[in-house]
Amino acid sequence: MDTEVAERKKSSLIKPSPAAEAFYSEVLRLMAKSGLPFLLSGTYALSSYTGIDRPTKDVDVFAKAGDALKMLHYFKERGFDVEIVDERWLYRITRGELFVDVITNMPTVTTHVTDEWFVNAPEAELFGAKVKLVPPTQFIWSKIFVADHHRYDGADVAHMILKKHDEIDWQRLLSHMELYWEVLLMALLNFRFIYPSERHCVPRWLLNELLERLHDQADVKGPGRKVCRGRIFSPRDY
């Protein structure tokens, strides 16, 4: 039965076409050659960290906003099609239907790329190019707010905690999430439910801190006006 499941999983993986692989390889090699700092994220970063493979239609990289503009200029000079999909967060390098997304921020909450993201970023090789990965702490931060009926990244967060909890800077993650500490608490409870035998992966001090905040909050009167923060998760669902 285990062999059958493994074979079914193996057959379900969608590998890039030769044209796509050639395009991704060329773009990543040129990015590395440009000297502009960038970090690999998305499915390929998840795979590097956890070993989980899944279908994907593109390659995602993160860069600082100013460097993303320089990157578009760099690739345009070399004959690529480029576009600013959304100036708040998304830039793109394309060839026909193939594309590489250059992400500078998350669209519904301020999670913009800074120099801090590049400190001690691990290296990996993808399509023959050496790249740096978004560190586990920032990987979680960039995924934790993605939750709508078209896309939900909670599983990515859970898998990253499972595989890389020792490399997560939990104090820094809490600092990033101060304004949205309830979202962090939800993610941690979600992890505990999914992997009850691995609850030790989450530091006890962090869970105690968040539960204490929840307790304190219960004794405080709620907002005096009606509030919906659902659009942070999904502008189309709320």
Side-chain angles (χ1 to χ4, degrees):
M1 183 65 177
D2 290 343
T3 302
E4 181 183 344
V5 171
E7 287 301 317
R8 186 163 62 246
K9 179 180 178 182
K10 183 178 180 181
S11 64
S12 69
L13 301 180
I14 299 178
K15 300 298 183 183
S17 67
E21 186 167 337
F23 172 73
Y24 298 150
S25 177
E26 184 179 4
V27 169
L28 291 174
R29 286 174 181 273
L30 284 171
M31 280 187 180
K33 187 177 179 180
S34 75
L36 296 168
F38 70 94
L39 298 165
L40 181 71
S41 187
T43 296
Y44 291 108
L46 180 71
S47 178
S48 294
Y49 280 127
T50 68
I52 296 171
D53 291 319
R54 66 184 184 200
T56 185
K57 65 182 185 303
D58 65 349
V59 169
D60 294 334
V61 302
F62 277 68
K64 293 183 294 183
D67 289 333
L69 288 171
K70 293 176 183 176
M71 203 171 285
L72 291 194
H73 179 73
Y74 175 84
F75 276 93
K76 186 176 181 180
E77 284 189 327
R78 284 155 180 79
F80 288 80
D81 294 322
V82 299
E83 63 175 314
I84 299 175
V85 179
D86 188 327
E87 200 158 22
R88 297 172 301 167
W89 70 287
L90 181 60
Y91 303 69
R92 185 168 287 170
I93 300 162
T94 67
R95 177 180 290 159
E97 295 183 354
L98 301 172
F99 59 92
V100 170
D101 280 340
V102 182
I103 301 167
T104 62
N105 187 26
M106 299 310 292
T108 59
V109 67
T110 300
T111 313
H112 62 280
V113 182
T114 64
D115 288 326
E116 183 184 84
W117 288 48
F118 295 86
V119 177
N120 298 322
E123 289 189 347
E125 186 170 313
L126 179 64
F127 302 122
K130 288 186 177 181
V131 297
K132 289 187 175 182
L133 305 177
V134 171
T137 306
Q138 283 80 9
F139 186 92
I140 290 175
W141 191 27
S142 70
K143 293 278 190 177
I144 203 166
F145 294 100
V146 183
D148 71 7
H149 69 282
H150 288 293
R151 179 178 171 185
Y152 173 69
D153 284 352
D156 291 357
V157 172
H159 291 138
M160 186 61 74
I161 294 173
L162 178 67
K163 295 293 187 178
K164 294 296 176 180
H165 54 276
D166 288 338
E167 298 177 32
I168 296 169
D169 186 335
W170 293 103
Q171 191 66 56
R172 179 170 292 176
L173 182 60
L174 177 60
S175 178
H176 288 326
M177 298 290 297
E178 277 291 348
L179 188 59
Y180 304 109
W181 60 269
E182 291 159 296
V183 178
L184 179 57
L185 177 58
M186 287 189 292
L188 298 183
L189 291 176
N190 189 52
F191 172 80
R192 286 168 58 87
F193 179 81
I194 295 169
Y195 295 113
S197 59
E198 310 298 329
R199 290 171 181 163
H200 63 275
C201 292
V202 175
R204 179 167 291 187
W205 69 262
L206 177 57
L207 195 59
N208 288 342
E209 166 66 23
L210 296 174
L211 290 174
E212 184 178 347
R213 294 185 188 191
L214 190 67
H215 181 269
D216 293 341
Q217 185 191 62
D219 294 330
V220 179
K221 185 179 179 181
R225 55 187 295 183
K226 290 186 177 181
V227 175
C228 175
R229 292 185 291 186
R231 289 178 64 82
I232 291 175
F233 296 124
S234 171
R236 60 188 145 201
D237 285 346
Y238 299 93

